[in-house]
Amino acid sequence: HAVTADGEVEALARRGNRRRLKVFLMAFVVVLVTGLTWNFLRPAEYRATARVQISPGSIEPRPSLSARETAEPSSHTASDLLTQVQVLTSRPLLARVSELLAQAGYLVGSADEATELQKMITVVPVSGTEIVELQAIGAPPELLAAVLNTLLNAYREELQAAYEAATSVTLTQA
């Protein structure tokens, strides 16, 4: 009787383990197939990045400073940099970018292209530097690089126009 009881216990244990293995494998396959299906059915997402150095102190002409003033770090540099980051993502500049992209033959996607560009572009200052990282995330990969390049060119043109206006005012006052 003792031998048959042990054999029956082992057989029951094997059957229980096989059943647990089958349940585990079925659950694993269902979760695996569901996860892979969800992953492969998502639309592709592309990313383009650019890093740019912005020197906020040199954007507006300033009167000459004494040696003592130039040796001290400017407290306005961080706030000036954040202001320029806001200019990079401002609606008027992005509207200009969408116009330039349309002239170049790129379509952003909707009637309100400036809003689409605001959703697509993020600007993150690199801490402790005057460097800003621009990121464009979206679906058409050829559009993303064009968006960043056009944004930087439009920003450069806007800075140049602002500098020329400030210089002409300074010269007129002088």
Side-chain angles (χ1 to χ4, degrees):
H1 278 272
V3 171
T4 56
D6 285 339
E8 288 177 17
V9 171
E10 287 180 17
L12 286 173
R14 272 192 237 123
R15 263 188 266 142
N17 286 340
R18 278 190 221 125
R19 192 173 357 153
R20 285 185 190 120
L21 181 62
K22 287 179 185 177
V23 169
F24 170 77
L25 288 177
M26 287 189 332
F28 178 74
V29 168
V30 167
V31 170
L32 178 71
V33 169
T34 305
L36 286 174
T37 302
W38 176 80
N39 195 28
F40 286 122
L41 290 178
R42 289 185 307 160
E45 183 179 276
Y46 300 95
R47 180 183 307 252
T49 60
R51 285 189 169 208
V52 179
Q53 180 176 356
I54 298 176
S55 301
S58 63
I59 292 171
E60 297 176 7
R62 298 180 184 201
S64 61
L65 301 174
S66 68
R68 189 178 65 81
E69 291 173 325
T70 56
E72 296 175 2
S74 173
S75 63
H76 298 291
T77 303
S79 64
D80 290 342
L81 182 65
L82 292 177
T83 301
Q84 293 307 311
V85 167
Q86 288 177 345
V87 169
L88 273 169
T89 57
S90 67
R91 188 167 177 80
L93 184 63
L94 293 178
R96 175 74 179 133
V97 168
S98 68
E99 291 172 9
L100 293 171
L101 287 172
Q103 290 173 1
Y106 292 102
L107 297 175
V108 175
S110 73
D112 190 13
E113 292 182 344
T115 303
E116 288 296 318
L117 288 173
Q118 281 180 327
K119 291 177 187 175
M120 186 185 298
I121 297 171
T122 57
V123 181
V124 180
V126 177
S127 63
T129 66
E130 294 179 342
I131 295 176
V132 173
E133 181 174 288
L134 290 96
Q135 296 180 353
I137 301 171
E142 63 277 352
L143 174 66
L144 300 178
V147 165
L148 290 183
N149 289 331
T150 306
L151 174 64
L152 292 174
N153 288 335
Y155 176 70
R156 185 179 308 121
E157 290 171 5
E158 186 174 300
L159 282 181
Q160 186 175 10
Y163 185 78
E164 287 173 0
T167 302
S168 66
V169 168
T170 303
L171 287 175
T172 303
Q173 289 176 349

